[in-house]
Amino acid sequence: MTKICTEYPDVFNKQLISYISQQLYPLTIVDEGIKKKHINDIKDRCPVCGRTLVERTAKTGPNAGGKFLGCSGFPNCRYTRKI
């Protein structure tokens, strides 16, 4: 807080920063169930294009019959991840 006040004294002062912090703090409190769901939703997304990952079964190759996660945007996105 001191750094912001020092670097921008004409814009920020301690009272304003305290007020902003008090307004934002309640928005940071999240139910653990919602937090876990959000984290799982992010994990279930393709890191390349952001679409959902779906469970697929390899049809050919050395992993035929094996399960993996593939992007729902296939064939435009070919991201895969082991389960």
Side-chain angles (χ1 to χ4, degrees), residues 39-46 51-54 69 81:
I39 290 170
N40 287 334
D41 288 347
I42 291 171
K43 288 180 182 177
D44 291 340
R45 297 263 173 206
C46 173
R51 292 188 175 121
T52 56
L53 294 175
V54 293
L69 293 176
R81 182 171 73 202

Side-chain angles (χ1 to χ4, degrees), residues 1-3 6-7 15 17 25 28 30 36 38-40 44-45 50 56 59-61 64 69 71 73-74 77 81-82:
M1 180 162 69
T2 305
K3 185 177 179 180
T6 305
E7 290 184 17
Q15 291 82 15
I17 292 172
Y25 180 73
T28 65
V30 180
K36 286 180 182 179
H38 174 69
I39 290 170
N40 287 334
D44 291 340
R45 297 263 173 206
R56 300 187 185 271
K59 295 178 183 174
T60 60
L69 293 176
C71 182
F74 181 85
C77 179
R81 182 171 73 202
K82 292 180 181 180

